[in-house]
């Protein structure tokens, strides 16, 4: 099984930046597609971004395109979410997830989940 631990959440002002990290371990982690999801108060968990094992294929929710960037570390055991030009509506608990390709934007396509990290954007 894959184990995931998120870090890097916190408080940031609107227009600012924050980088989330997901430390992963597991037998076949490097071959998994990785995704970031978020859940705001009173809302369902929603897709944010996903990346292939090689880092060569990424896609994003329309709400974050041009502002957020997902990437893998050189060792492929760490996944990042760089968040720029942040908005109050980005406030949510952010979750790292792992699934076998071709996992996409549905939570049901990911078998492994981290515990989440809180991101708060002040206006």
């Amino acid at each position: 099984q894959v184990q995931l631990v998120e870090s890097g959440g916190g408080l940031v002002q609107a227009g600012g930046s924050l980088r989330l990290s997901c430390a992963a371990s597991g037998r076949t982690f490097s071959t998994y597609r990785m995704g970031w999801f978020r859940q705001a108060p009173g809302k369902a968990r929603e897709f944010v971004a996903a990346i292939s094992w090689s880092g060569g294929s990424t896609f994003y929710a329309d709400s974050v395109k041009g502002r957020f960037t997902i990437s893998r570390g050189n060792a492929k055991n760490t996944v990042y979410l760089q968040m720029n030009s942040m908005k109050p509506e980005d406030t949510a608990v952010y979750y790292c997830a792992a699934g076998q390709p071709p996992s996409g934007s549905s939570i049901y396509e990911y078998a492994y989940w981290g515990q989440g990290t809180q991101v708060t954007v002040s206006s």
Side-chain angles (χ1 to χ4, degrees):
Q1 183 165 309
V2 175
Q3 295 83 44
L4 307 172
V5 180
E6 303 97 334
S7 63
L11 176 65
V12 65
Q13 292 184 338
S17 298
L18 204 62
R19 188 175 78 161
L20 305 183
S21 298
C22 176
S25 62
R27 185 173 180 178
T28 58
F29 170 76
S30 64
T31 67
Y32 279 61
R33 167 169 280 188
M34 301 297 301
W36 285 97
F37 292 76
R38 66 187 183 187
Q39 188 164 20
K43 298 181 65 178
R45 189 173 299 183
E46 66 176 353
F47 170 77
V48 176
I51 189 169
S52 66
W53 73 268
S54 68
S57 179
T58 61
F59 74 103
Y60 300 88
D62 289 341
S63 60
V64 306
K65 285 181 179 177
R67 301 189 298 119
F68 290 10
T69 303
I70 187 171
S71 62
R72 285 188 183 269
N74 291 335
K76 307 297 184 183
N77 64 340
T78 304
V79 179
Y80 304 99
L81 184 69
Q82 178 67 47
M83 304 183 290
N84 298 325
S85 302
M86 298 192 72
K87 306 174 181 179
E89 48 263 50
D90 294 323
T91 295
V93 176
Y94 283 70
Y95 297 90
C96 179
Q100 298 183 52
S103 300
S105 61
S106 171
I107 63 172
Y108 302 106
E109 296 174 314
Y110 294 83
Y112 307 105
W113 295 84
Q115 293 298 114
T117 185
Q118 177 70 50
V119 171
T120 302
V121 184
S122 61
S123 59

